[in-house]
Amino acid sequence: MVAPRALGILLLLHLASGEEDSTPKYEEPRNVCQGFTNMNSYEDFDLNRTAGCFSKCTRSQEKLCHLGNLQRYWLNFETYLVERNQMDTLNTSFLTAFVKSINTNVSEDLYFSLTPSQIPKQVTKDEHQHPDRVRLPKSLFGSLKSSGPMVRLGIIVLDIGPGNVFKGSLLSREDGSRVLNNRIVGLTLGHINVTELAEPLEITFSHQYQPPNMNLSCEFWDATKGDWSSKGCSTEVGVRRTVCRCDHLTFFALLLRPILDEATVRALIHISQAGCGTSMIFLAFTIVLYVVLRFSRQRFKSEDAPKIHVALSISLFLLNLAFFLNVGQRLKGSNAACWARGAVFHYFLLCAFTWMGLEAFHLYLLVIKVFNTYFSHYFLKLSLMGWVLPALIVIGTGIANSYGPYCIRDEKNVITLELCWFREKTALYVTVYGYCLIIFLFSAVILSLVSWKIFTLSSATAGKEKGQHWKGVLTLLGLSCLVGLPWGLALLTSLGQFTAYVFALFTSLQGVFIFCWFIVLYCPSQSTVTSSSGTARVDHAQTVSHE
């Protein structure tokens, strides 16, 4: 009786174990993304199931995934591919791999292509034929001679998808950071640890033009920290490609991080709108004040300096108005309407910069050259330069059909800023960045010469008048607003958000500064005028009409 009873118990246990084995089938997808069921299984079926976690492990499904296990799975697969797998190539929808035995006595650097959707392969040095590639220096293999005459090299290109796998803390979804094309490149020699190379390896990533608010950096996956790190890597950024140089082997990627995230963009827009609105009010005051003074003071009809100040005020007023209309309307309306808004915004921006340059030119005549500065129809010629030259540039840009929708998007493809601006980057660089840089450099040189004049004069009259240095400093601050030096802060916005906020604040409030300058110059008492700084006195005393 004992034997049949024992057999019955064993049968029941077997059936019970069979029932337990059947239940996980319903939890299998969850267990796969937890990384427990197939940690060391690398058959095609296992690879495909685990790769499905790239899209499943999103922020909303994060509790169903164990990112550490999933990341470790692919790191271990890289070693498995080199040391245990018998295949030399692997090609799936999410992964391409290439394995080759390399002689440690190679006589030249080795190049391998990393073309998307193609299996990596050894290629020649021609960079135009293979823009995406990796260069492994011959010194790398020469340092491995103690490991034998041959070593096996594995190259993996892995599409990590839109989920959180291989994202780490640096690629927060809230600021738009991401891996370029969701593609990481793995380089391995199996269990041979390669670090601190005397000559770094090079990985070249080709890419489209990136928005100016995106920063590109070469980084590797630090398995000990479970995050991306740039230690031992350098980045050489180009317009259409970026070269990464690193001193070790592992998984690499080109990371894109916004200099200005969505929250910062919105804050800057609000600051600019508030500042531009305030500037428009004070610029209108400046224009009205000039009209009143022109009718009440006879010399205002012949002076050129206040005319130039008012022309600058008009151009800035219209630029601020165009900014409000462009940002407020966004991309509403037809393509033709968007084209027109982009052209108008471009025109008044160029007009404002041109008049800033003309302010600097007039300042040069007043303070630096001084003598032989008579020009017939002087202000008329300045007006032609200030209003017609920008029109010619805009017409040429319009003929090239360079205006259109301009958007900045985050990693979810959500628009953070949209307006009618440039759709052709070459025209943007030439007619905006290039033009404004020329005006800025010209104004900076003139202001430097004027500074030297002012402080030389202050030193000569230091015994006669007190506070001359302070007056010189205030004069330079006023003149810097007239010639547009605050716009030079755009060159520093890549240093961080603080400079971006300062740039937005100072440029949007330029109209307020011009109004204050106009009041100080043309509305003080006569005693104040005669005791003003040297530059202010010259500007105020210039009464000869050149028309």
Side-chain angles (χ1 to χ4, degrees), residues 439-477:
I439 297 295
F440 171 76
L441 293 176
F442 173 74
S443 300
V445 170
I446 297 300
L447 196 62
S448 298
L449 295 174
V450 171
S451 302
W452 176 76
K453 280 276 190 178
I454 288 176
F455 289 109
T456 300
L457 179 63
S458 298
S459 299
T461 59
K464 300 178 182 179
E465 299 183 30
K466 296 181 179 180
Q468 281 295 99
H469 285 287
W470 283 109
K471 292 178 181 178
V473 171
L474 294 176
T475 299
L476 286 178
L477 290 176

Side-chain angles (χ1 to χ4, degrees), residues 133-408:
R133 62 178 185 167
V134 57
R135 181 186 71 84
L136 299 177
K138 61 181 181 181
S139 59
L140 184 158
F141 300 102
S143 63
L144 302 175
K145 291 181 180 180
S146 59
S147 301
M150 305 292 290
V151 292
R152 280 176 64 82
L153 168 69
I155 300 177
I156 297 175
V157 180
L158 183 62
D159 186 346
I160 59 175
N164 290 342
V165 184
F166 283 113
K167 295 303 192 292
S169 62
L170 294 179
L171 301 185
S172 169
R173 288 180 176 272
E174 297 179 357
D175 68 355
S177 300
R178 64 185 185 274
V179 175
L180 177 69
N181 299 326
N182 290 325
R183 192 165 60 109
I184 64 177
V185 177
L187 302 173
T188 183
L189 294 173
H191 281 102
I192 301 177
N193 188 28
V194 179
T195 58
E196 298 181 357
L197 292 172
E199 182 180 359
L201 60 91
E202 288 184 2
I203 303 177
T204 303
F205 295 95
S206 64
H207 50 75
Q208 297 297 318
Y209 168 81
Q210 297 299 321
N213 75 317
M214 297 303 291
N215 179 56
L216 289 84
S217 64
C218 299
E219 307 207 10
F220 74 96
W221 184 258
D222 190 336
T224 58
K225 297 180 179 179
D227 208 344
W228 293 101
S229 173
S230 60
K231 185 178 180 180
C233 293
S234 63
T235 307
E236 181 184 329
V237 180
V239 177
R240 299 289 180 181
R241 68 171 191 171
T242 297
V243 179
C244 301
R245 296 182 177 88
C246 298
D247 64 357
H248 52 279
L249 300 184
T250 183
F251 273 114
F252 301 94
L254 185 61
L255 306 189
L256 287 80
R257 298 194 192 97
I259 299 171
L260 304 178
D261 55 27
E262 181 179 0
T264 305
V265 169
R266 295 189 182 280
L268 290 173
I269 290 176
H270 292 324
I271 291 174
S272 298
Q273 288 176 330
C276 289
T278 305
S279 278
M280 289 178 69
I281 295 173
F282 281 89
L283 289 169
F285 287 162
T286 304
I287 297 169
V288 172
L289 180 60
Y290 170 77
V291 173
V292 172
L293 292 176
R294 183 177 173 87
F295 282 101
S296 61
R297 297 184 184 181
Q298 184 64 30
R299 65 184 182 84
F300 257 71
K301 297 180 180 181
S302 58
E303 282 191 4
D304 292 320
K307 295 178 184 177
I308 298 173
H309 298 337
V310 170
L312 174 60
S313 300
I314 293 173
S315 66
L316 286 173
F317 181 90
L318 295 175
L319 173 62
N320 291 330
L321 180 61
F323 171 77
F324 271 112
L325 294 177
N326 205 345
V327 174
Q329 290 291 323
R330 292 185 177 265
L331 300 181
K332 296 178 182 178
S334 63
N335 291 334
C338 185
W339 186 97
R341 288 203 300 272
V344 170
F345 187 43
H346 185 207
Y347 172 70
F348 288 125
L349 178 65
L350 294 181
C351 286
F353 268 96
T354 304
W355 279 108
M356 292 176 205
L358 294 175
E359 285 274 14
F361 174 73
H362 187 70
L363 189 62
Y364 166 77
L365 296 182
L366 291 179
V367 181
I368 307 301
K369 191 173 182 182
V370 181
F371 301 105
N372 299 322
T373 59
Y374 175 79
F375 297 97
S376 61
H377 306 292
Y378 176 66
F379 185 72
L380 176 61
K381 293 177 179 178
L382 293 184
S383 298
L384 290 175
M385 179 71 71
W387 302 111
V388 177
L389 177 61
L392 295 177
I393 296 175
V394 170
I395 290 173
T397 307
I399 292 175
N401 198 26
S402 299
Y403 301 117
Y406 180 86
C407 301
I408 295 178

